[in-house]
Amino acid sequence: MDPDSVRGVDRRRLLGWGGVAAAGAAAIGVPLVGAAPGHADPAPAGADIPPDTRPGGAYDRYVANLAADDKFSGVVMLSHRGRTVLSRSYGMADREKRIRNHEGTAFNLSSAGKPFGAVAILQLAQRGKVNLWDTVGTYLKGFAPEIAGQVTIHHLLSGTSGLNSPDEDLERVFQSREEMHEYCERWARQAKLVSAPGTPTEHAGAEVAIPAMIVEAVTGTTYWDYVEEHLFGRCGMTGTAFYTRPQWLTDEHIAHSYMRQSDGSRVDAVRNLDKGSPDPYQLGKNPARGFIDPPGDGGFATAPDLIRFAHALGDGTVLDRPYAELFTGAKIPHGPQVNGRGSRATPADASFGAYTLPVSLINGQWVIGRAGVNPGSVASWNIYPYTGWVGVILGNHDDVPFQEIIEREIQAVTGRR
């Protein structure tokens, strides 16, 4: 293949996508950094705005109907080359205080925040502070010899470490950042090598925790503080942070997560930490029990901030061009993916693993992004680099047809049916 093309599409043309934002599937080897935003080849007026993406279009009507049927609460946003095409907000961020969801509402990201950790590592790599071929033991002590000596940073970021996910204490409710941090470090060191490094793994939690520990070892600061300064701060993501449970309770711009109960009611997972949790597994699924999200995972973000993050990937704000390409480049071929979003596979012609991202070829174009699900919350950001679109879905109910919403977004943007 010509290094300056992707399936016959000229690389120089692809560099004009700057203005793309953030959402939930993921793209392959598509350059994310280069020319300034707005340098894409011009299209006839209105030709690059599919009718289904516009206000009143098929996607807008679909989400509105879900909200009317109490099947969606949150924010959806579509941005094209830096301009908002569709922005809708539904439902309540805080039912008790009667605060409605709006563009400035921050939602729990769950796994949709994991790519921030990969970006942090790549920032250090481009500064010469780490090497992707370095092993865990180069930076961290206390791991089993076979992990310390064989598992590399590349293995961790690409989901090929061969590690498992250690068992969690599902009954524990954390009371401070320090307590959460100490637990996560100890938990990660309990990981075991269950297959040879280089073997694809299935959502191994240690693959997220260990890179965060490396960021801390190299920078001398916490993962949370590093990402807030060097990613969120650089991108102008002023409504995005790793908020603590007390902040979640008092900050009116953070959406509360509402968990559906067996009797059909919903409970505020933040105010009622143990409500609706008759067994440890259910309690362990409550996102509020963690006090703050584990290093390497989660966080809270607004829809416009995720758009800003996508812009920053495209204009060199957070990663130089080669490292932005490395971040989203295809590493491992996947079979049909469900991404934790339901029983149906993502509607992709081909799917691959990038660094903490799935990247998919859909209807002749790459889609880049990540999705996450927690009890009472859903989050998805997708970047469509060929056409300059970004899609964001953020919600604070857990009983929504999340996979279908993502598919409808993809249909609206790509024309896929």
Side-chain angles (χ1 to χ4, degrees), residues 256-308:
H256 286 223
S257 295
Y258 290 91
M259 301 168 60
R260 179 74 78 179
Q261 303 302 290
S262 58
D263 63 2
S265 65
R266 289 195 182 94
V267 63
D268 184 330
V270 190
R271 290 194 175 94
N272 302 283
L273 183 55
D274 57 354
K275 293 283 183 67
S277 302
D279 59 67
Y281 176 70
Q282 290 296 327
L283 174 60
K285 288 165 59 179
N286 188 328
R289 67 182 279 271
F291 194 86
I292 189 171
D293 277 311
D297 205 349
F300 295 78
T302 68
D305 276 357
L306 290 173
I307 304 287
R308 294 182 182 102

Side-chain angles (χ1 to χ4, degrees), residues 341-397:
R341 300 185 302 217
S343 59
R344 295 190 301 163
T346 299
D349 302 314
S351 296
F352 302 79
Y355 277 162
T356 69
L357 292 168
V359 298
S360 300
L361 179 63
I362 300 176
N363 206 28
Q365 63 173 287
W366 296 115
V367 184
I368 306 168
R370 184 73 197 232
V373 177
N374 258 344
S377 63
V378 295
S380 168
W381 53 268
N382 282 320
I383 300 172
Y384 303 83
Y386 280 21
T387 53
W389 285 91
V390 178
V392 179
I393 303 163
L394 298 171
N396 62 327
H397 287 176

Side-chain angles (χ1 to χ4, degrees), residues 3 22 24 29 70 130 171 175 212 219 238 253 260 268 278 291 305 314 356:
D70 196 27
V130 303
E171 296 189 51
Q175 303 299 328
T219 65
T238 57
H253 104 286
R260 179 74 78 179
D268 184 330
F291 194 86
D305 276 357
T356 69

Side-chain angles (χ1 to χ4, degrees), residues 189-241:
R189 288 185 170 89
Q190 295 171 4
K192 296 180 180 179
L193 198 63
V194 295
S195 58
T199 304
T201 49
E202 185 66 25
H203 303 298
E207 291 179 337
V208 177
I210 296 173
M213 294 169 65
I214 292 173
V215 169
E216 294 182 335
V218 172
T219 65
T221 187
T222 69
Y223 171 85
W224 304 306
D225 291 341
Y226 178 88
V227 171
E228 287 185 347
E229 178 180 354
H230 294 277
L231 273 74
F232 304 161
R234 288 188 189 181
C235 298
M237 300 167 68
T238 57
T240 297

Side-chain angles (χ1 to χ4, degrees), residues 165-179:
S165 288
D167 292 334
E168 294 183 60
D169 183 353
L170 297 178
E171 296 189 51
R172 184 165 179 174
V173 177
F174 298 85
Q175 303 299 328
S176 70
R177 286 168 56 109
E178 292 74 21
E179 183 183 354

